[in-house]
Amino acid sequence: MNLTLKVWRQPSKSAEGSIQTYEAKDVSPDMSFLEMIDVVNDTLMEQGQEPIAFEHDCREGICGACSMVINGVAHGPNKATTTCQLYMRHFKSGETIYIEPWRAAAFPVLKDLIVDRSAFDRIQQAGGYISINTGCAPDAHTTQVEKDAADAAMSAAECIGCGACVAACKNASAMLFVAAKVSHLGLLPHGQAERKTRVLGMVEQMDDEGFGACTNYGECEAVCPKSISTRYISRLNRDYLTASISSEI
Amino acid sequence: MAATKRGLAVLFGSTIGAKTVMAVTGLALILFLLTHMGGNLLIYFGPDVFNAYAKSLKSAGGGGLVWVARGGLLAMFATHVAMAFKLQLRNRAARPLGYAYEATVEASWASRYMILTGLLVLAFVVLHLAHYTVGVFNPDYLTWHDAEGRHDAYRMVVTAFSHPLVALSYVVAMVVLALHLVHGFQSLFRSLGNSHEQAREALSKASLGLALALAFGFCLAPVGVLLGWIQPVEVTQPAPGK
């Protein structure tokens, strides 16, 4: 199959960027989207041109590195799928495909399709952990966890921090990411001790990073490669408001 | 790392707090709309009932309560609008450069154009107050009195809505209001923390029902006058003092 690619090219963080057109010829329908770009990049390098810079790591849908907005949709047209797990058979030969980086003030473009997602790291550092004394591992059944809570925590813990929620949100809001990170710890007994400081700290950091507010559009859930529900956002709202009005005594 | 904000600082200083304020003021305004619509529908019971209701509103608590209610309403409305602007500016700043290829997967039209429908409702409210409360377009409205010496609100409303363009503009405004509420009502419970799956689905349906019911209920007055369901009353006695 042959495709026309419209790709955002930007040499560096401070440089101006623009959409450039490339022809991808003889693409196999069995290639992943990233492999297709690999092939285009081979051709570009043969021609002495700068290859398209994009982030990738595991290529099996669990690391969250492959951040691309494909035809206006974060991670492309398939539901619950990362870009690396998207195959070219889902496109038609002759199609024009727009490939753009995540767009958010908090995710500045570093080069072409690569954005700086350190804002997510700083949000995590503001409370997205459980402080536990190291030592001998306790028996697995020392602290019992209710099945429903374990399932709900596990669903939230599926978040791979890819940032598609921010890319898809019309407000570039990071609420789904923060909700998932707050919830997967806050739903478990081990996460109760730091529950209030965690949610207050992470939301404050989220706001300081310049992400937008949640309008309950539902775009984030629709593009999330792990289908994390916006119900966690409502849970985050509740958790945050409860923590904010509570006092130490 | 430690979070510093608590209490009121959170309410007005954070995005979640701002959305909470939007939700609470929005809910208060919806409750007002329901009572306002109920009052409007009394016009179907004739001039006596309608004018008596209008008088009871204005004279409650020796005439003071109406000002308390107006003050409260203004506070809710102004806070809702001010917060909306604050959030809109923040959301725009959060994405300075948009996508060359724009696509929407899930978001409803109503949710994406809340600021537009909100601004149109704001414009309508200003015109509506100028129209009936201040009498800007026809100062006579406020001088009309019925046989009992009460402000003839019935005659005012029937006279105004017998102009098809006026009636039609009110109907259009109610369609815009319905679009605002169809997203706003379900969204406010999510902002306030409702994560219950079934309750969220039920509220989504209720949101459509509420928006349609309010728009339909409000349209019954202008449409009723236009179609002759609500008849003008002959003015037999001059207003006192005239």
Side-chain angles (χ1 to χ4, degrees), chain A residues 71-72 98 100 103 105 166-167 169-171 204 207 211 213-217 219 230-231 234 237-238 244 246, chain B residues 4 6-7 14-15 19 90-91 94-95 97 99-101 103-107 111 183 187 190 193-195 200:
Chain A
N71 283 346
Y98 276 78
E100 297 173 77
R103 291 287 183 207
V166 174
C169 178
K170 306 286 179 195
N171 305 339
E204 191 173 316
D207 284 350
F211 291 105
C214 177
T215 302
N216 298 309
Y217 293 118
E219 287 289 301
T230 50
R231 289 171 62 200
S234 296
N237 290 334
R238 204 170 62 230
S244 69
S246 70
Chain B
T4 50
R6 295 245 172 164
S14 74
T15 48
K19 289 295 294 186
R90 182 187 175 93
N91 294 344
R95 177 165 296 137
L97 184 59
Y99 294 104
Y101 190 116
T104 298
V105 184
E106 184 70 26
S111 72
H183 176 72
S187 181
R190 295 178 177 209
N194 172 30
S195 58
R200 283 158 72 96

Side-chain angles (χ1 to χ4, degrees), chain A residues 104-185:
Chain A
F107 286 164
V109 173
L110 296 176
K111 187 175 184 181
D112 298 343
L113 303 173
I114 300 176
V115 298
D116 180 0
R117 282 176 291 188
S118 316
F120 270 14
D121 298 339
R122 289 189 290 272
I123 293 173
Q124 281 286 68
Q125 287 156 10
Y129 49 79
I130 292 175
S131 307
I132 288 182
N133 292 330
T134 52
C136 293
D139 287 337
H141 62 283
T142 310
T143 308
Q144 296 208 336
V145 182
E146 202 182 28
K147 176 79 169 98
D148 288 348
D151 287 348
M154 186 58 228
S155 292
E158 279 194 68
C159 172
I160 52 177
C162 66
C165 44
V166 174
C169 178
K170 306 286 179 195
N171 305 339
S173 170
M175 286 285 278
L176 192 64
F177 166 77
V178 176
K181 295 301 173 196
V182 162
S183 296
H184 87 91
L185 299 175

Side-chain angles (χ1 to χ4, degrees), chain B residues 120 123-125 127-128 131-132 137 160-161 163-177 218-219 222-223 226:
Chain B
L120 289 172
F124 167 74
V125 168
L127 284 174
H128 176 54
H131 187 197
Y132 283 140
F137 307 115
F161 285 154
H163 299 287
L165 272 181
V166 175
L168 194 69
S169 62
Y170 270 73
V171 170
V172 170
M174 289 310 107
V175 173
V176 175
L177 176 69
F218 276 119
C219 285
V223 171
L226 268 190

